[in-house]
Amino acid sequence: MDWEPTRRSLHGVAELLLAGPQHRATGRIDLSVVDGGFATAAEPALRVEGDELLTGSARVRLTGRTYTEVAAEAGLEAGEPAGVYSGGPGVRPGETIVFAADALNLLLQAFADGDRALREFAPDATPVLWPEHFDVAIALDEVNYGVSLGDGYLGEPYAYVGPFEPKSGDFWNASFGAARPMRELTGVAAVVQFFATGQNFTGGR
């Protein structure tokens, strides 16, 4: 499956249409996974559900339109959280949003499964969807746990365990720690087990 066009567009939606407006209003960039998609964690209250952006009063179609056009209809200004980070996707407001339905559904399902797995693995932690790297994650005992929709390391959704201090051994198969494609982790329970194995190898609680 060609994940890249849909993932890039979805990443752009998270950064330009949710995190950017939220940061300009509140100074925050953190987002959250919700049923059917993801949402701002503060004002303005914005939510992506499949191929639509939901505001307090409207549903705005995303596919085939530029971020600027969507923002105008939603009463927003399209733009990244200025000056916060430098490692975003580089999507510009004038680009056209391109979603393939099958890829979109699987990407959003990966976020949903990742969020649920993190909550089962660490009930006291609150998973955050970060717009820079476009992953849902927590940090626990100096270890990052999360699910990415894909990047330069692996071009498909994957779960990861990233210790602050590098580890060695067969489990640690990535420069940042350990990673497993979501297609190899069949179900939320398998993702939870992967996190638990990483926790065990890092000596966590």
Side-chain angles (χ1 to χ4, degrees):
M1 179 179 294
D2 186 5
W3 299 97
E4 180 56 26
T6 298
R7 182 178 62 237
R8 176 181 171 82
S9 285
L10 197 62
H11 196 166
V13 170
E15 181 179 71
L16 302 180
L17 298 179
L18 274 71
Q22 177 180 263
H23 181 258
R24 288 186 284 278
T26 68
R28 295 174 59 177
I29 65 168
D30 53 312
L31 307 176
S32 60
V33 174
V34 296
D35 289 344
F38 50 89
T40 51
E43 295 299 322
L46 303 167
R47 173 185 180 125
V48 171
E49 188 175 287
D51 179 33
E52 294 181 313
L53 174 68
L54 280 62
T55 70
S57 58
R59 285 178 172 264
V60 183
R61 183 175 55 84
L62 295 168
T63 303
R65 312 177 72 192
T66 68
Y67 299 92
T68 300
E69 290 169 342
V70 171
E73 184 173 341
L76 305 169
E77 176 191 353
E80 64 190 30
V84 180
Y85 54 76
S86 60
V91 178
R92 304 269 55 93
E95 291 184 31
T96 299
I97 298 168
V98 178
F99 287 160
D102 53 350
L104 178 62
N105 290 338
L106 289 171
L107 289 169
L108 292 177
Q109 188 61 53
F111 266 162
D113 289 347
D115 185 79
R116 181 179 164 192
L118 289 166
R119 292 177 186 278
E120 291 188 15
F121 169 66
D124 294 333
T126 300
V128 173
L129 194 165
W130 294 107
E132 178 181 3
H133 298 299
F134 208 33
D135 58 345
V136 58
I138 62 170
L140 185 65
D141 299 326
E142 297 192 339
V143 181
N144 293 317
Y145 300 88
V147 168
S148 167
L149 293 195
D151 51 28
Y153 167 74
L154 183 62
E156 64 179 284
Y158 66 90
Y160 66 85
V161 179
F164 292 9
E165 295 293 329
K167 304 292 181 181
S168 60
D170 292 342
F171 180 78
W172 309 105
N173 64 334
S175 60
F176 53 80
R180 301 290 186 275
M182 290 293 280
R183 59 181 166 79
E184 295 181 4
L185 298 171
T186 53
V188 170
V191 182
V192 175
Q193 182 58 53
F194 170 67
F195 292 152
T197 301
Q199 185 181 54
N200 182 59
F201 280 129
T202 58
R205 52 191 168 91

